[in-house]
Amino acid sequence: DSFGVLACGSGQGMCMQANRYKGIRAALCNSSSEAYETRGHNNANVLCISADNASEHFSEILDAFLNTQPLPDGRYQRRCKKLDED
């Protein structure tokens, strides 16, 4: 259950690059609600954040990402398993 945090200008490029690695589910989040949903629905384990767009809310976004648990069984869990398949 490790997490990563990546920050740069737009956040897009590093998010795309991070998702090339097996086991990484990176998501670009510019708000705490996006961070909450990507953890709860997609079990993202790498938070990508735009320094240009979200830097003033960084601590709120990080807090939401780190303190949200994936939702229990159901369609979200099945989707996450598909993301981890080869």
Side-chain angles (χ1 to χ4, degrees), residues 27-81:
L28 176 62
C29 299
N30 289 310
S31 69
S32 57
S33 61
E34 288 178 349
Y36 170 80
E37 288 197 11
T38 198
R39 279 286 298 139
H41 295 184
N42 302 313
N43 194 14
N45 56 11
V46 175
L47 170 66
C48 298
I49 192 162
S50 166
D52 294 342
N53 298 319
S55 59
E56 61 203 45
H57 304 288
F58 178 77
S59 61
E60 295 162 11
I61 296 168
L62 182 61
D63 185 57
F65 186 82
L66 294 176
N67 292 308
T68 300
Q69 295 298 313
L71 295 173
D73 296 333
R75 74 176 183 162
Y76 298 121
Q77 190 174 43
R78 289 190 304 271
R79 181 170 62 192
C80 291
K81 282 185 176 183

